[in-house]
């Protein structure tokens, strides 16, 4: 039987119904205490090889790094969020059997793309420091020049896969994670992080614009599934979906 580890990333206590292959992974300043207080099996990004201290700047990526470096004996890896999860076409939580069936033909599972009237580059410039994204391009051009065409192409698109949600074959998950952090660690050396609770999560924002760059260059087949939020009813999900297509802002709440 194929094995699966999907980290459900959270920075605070939450209730999660037991589901095969899904495990809480706590991040942030209270990660270790949250892990200890959780009633069932849980993990934190403090253990093993980790970048836990960088969580204020990397958000859920500290969990992605932890999963890649410390979960080594499974066939598939992934991450979702404590309030956001992938659903099937019936609006149900994406179960292990559906994941395994999908990955047989599509090695990576992603959330549906988000859309905006402005380009990816223009949208980033409206809500974040555009010089950080420019630095990403410079670093890619230096250390991974074979990805620069895909990067430039994505910057002119009006959609991308957001939220850093993905499930993949383990070797692909690890390969993408290594590529991503090679870029982000180098960018970190070259930029000044804004002293703002939201904007300091810069590497989480930047990474959302890099997943499609890697997938495009690697020419990997993927399958999209909707994202639902805990406590969100069907009507509000429909309204939010319409807003994402009409408004120029790409929504990314905490």
């Amino acid at each position: 039987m194929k094995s699966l580890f999907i980290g459900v990333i959270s920075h605070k206590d939450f209730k999660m119904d037991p589901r095969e292959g899904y495990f809480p992974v706590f991040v942030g300043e209270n990660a270790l205490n949250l892990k200890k207080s959780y009633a069932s099996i849980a993990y934190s990004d403090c253990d093993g090889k980790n970048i836990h201290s960088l969580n204020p700047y990397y958000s859920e990526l500290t969990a992605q790094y932890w999963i890649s470096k410390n979960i080594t004996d499974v066939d598939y890896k992934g991450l979702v969020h404590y309030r956001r999860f992938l659903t099937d076409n019936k609006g149900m939580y994406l179960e292990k059997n559906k994941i395994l069936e999908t990955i047989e033909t599509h090695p990576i599972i992603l959330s549906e793309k988000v859309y905006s009237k402005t380009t990816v580059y223009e949208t980033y410039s409206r809500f974040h420091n555009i010089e950080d994204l420019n630095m990403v391009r410079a670093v890619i051009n230096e250390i991974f020049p074979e990805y620069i065409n895909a990067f430039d192409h994505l910057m002119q698109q009006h959609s991308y896969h957001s939220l850093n949600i993905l499930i993949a074959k383990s070797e692909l998950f690890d390969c993408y994670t290594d590529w991503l952090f090679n870029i982000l660690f180098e960018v970190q050396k070259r930029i000044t992080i804004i002293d703002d609770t939201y904007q300091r999560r810069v590497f989480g924002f930047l990474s959302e614009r890099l997943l499609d760059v890697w997938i495009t260059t690697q020419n990997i087949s993927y399958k999209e599934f909707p994202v639902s939020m805990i406590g969100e009813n069907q009507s509000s999900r429909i309204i939010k979906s319409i807003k994402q297509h009409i408004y120029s802002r790409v929504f990314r709440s905490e």
Side-chain angles (χ1 to χ4, degrees):
M1 173 66 71
K2 297 290 187 179
S3 53
L4 173 70
F5 186 103
I6 300 177
V8 183
I9 316 307
S10 179
H11 64 284
K12 62 183 180 180
D13 193 17
F14 74 107
K15 303 298 181 183
M16 187 182 85
D17 294 334
R19 293 183 182 277
E20 188 176 4
Y22 288 81
F23 304 91
V25 178
F26 292 105
V27 301
E29 59 183 2
N30 294 318
L32 196 56
N33 289 333
L34 288 167
K35 171 194 167 183
K36 291 177 179 178
S37 66
Y38 201 78
S40 188
I41 297 175
Y43 300 85
S44 81
D45 70 349
C46 304
D47 302 322
K49 187 173 184 180
N50 69 79
I51 54 170
H52 167 77
S53 63
L54 297 179
N55 181 258
Y57 318 108
Y58 280 76
S59 294
E60 63 275 348
L61 295 185
T62 60
Q64 180 176 333
Y65 183 93
W66 182 87
I67 292 168
S68 178
K69 301 304 180 184
N70 296 281
I71 303 299
T72 59
D73 56 351
V74 298
D75 298 297
Y76 307 104
K77 301 179 186 180
L79 71 155
V80 294
H81 301 198
Y82 75 103
R83 290 194 307 135
R84 301 184 186 94
F85 54 92
L86 296 170
T87 60
D88 59 24
N89 55 13
K90 296 181 181 179
M92 304 298 291
Y93 209 99
L94 201 61
E95 299 284 0
K96 179 179 178 180
N97 288 342
K98 182 63 175 178
I99 292 170
L100 298 183
E101 172 191 326
T102 302
I103 273 183
E104 284 300 312
T105 53
H106 301 85
I108 293 183
I109 294 173
L110 303 173
S111 61
E112 292 180 330
K113 286 184 175 181
V114 293
Y115 295 82
S116 61
K117 287 185 176 180
T118 55
T119 66
V120 172
Y121 186 85
E122 291 167 338
T123 303
Y124 195 94
S125 70
R126 290 184 62 192
F127 299 103
H128 308 291
N129 182 4
I130 194 59
E131 292 308 315
D132 297 337
L133 191 58
N134 291 339
M135 184 58 72
V136 167
R137 187 189 189 281
V139 168
I140 290 176
N141 200 38
E142 287 179 24
I143 65 177
F144 295 117
E146 65 274 25
Y147 288 85
I148 199 66
N149 288 339
F151 179 88
D152 288 343
H153 178 75
L154 175 68
M155 290 301 104
Q156 299 308 311
Q157 301 307 299
H158 293 258
S159 64
Y160 66 100
H161 292 101
S162 68
L163 302 176
N164 291 317
I165 290 177
L166 74 153
I167 303 170
K169 292 183 176 181
S170 287
E171 60 270 24
L172 290 179
F173 186 96
D174 293 344
C175 181
Y176 168 62
T177 302
D178 287 345
W179 176 84
L180 176 65
F181 280 95
N182 276 330
I183 295 169
L184 296 182
F185 286 158
E186 185 59 33
V187 171
Q188 184 181 348
K189 299 174 185 176
R190 306 186 189 188
I191 67 172
T192 300
I193 298 175
I194 297 174
D195 186 19
D196 174 88
T197 303
Y198 181 70
Q199 293 296 345
R200 71 182 182 183
R201 295 155 54 188
V202 54
F203 301 105
F205 300 133
L206 291 172
S207 64
E208 289 182 297
R209 279 76 180 180
L210 290 175
L211 178 55
D212 286 323
V213 174
W214 184 79
I215 289 174
T216 299
T217 304
Q218 293 287 328
N219 193 27
I220 297 174
S221 173
Y222 62 84
K223 175 75 173 178
E224 295 180 345
F225 286 93
V227 172
S228 290
M229 292 185 67
I230 293 174
E232 191 177 55
N233 61 33
Q234 182 68 16
S235 297
S236 62
R237 284 200 297 269
I238 292 172
I239 292 171
K240 186 177 73 172
S241 177
I242 292 172
K243 286 181 177 179
Q244 284 182 327
H245 285 76
I246 294 177
Y247 295 167
S248 61
R249 178 172 180 175
V250 176
F251 294 94
R252 190 182 195 276
S253 358
E254 79 166 351

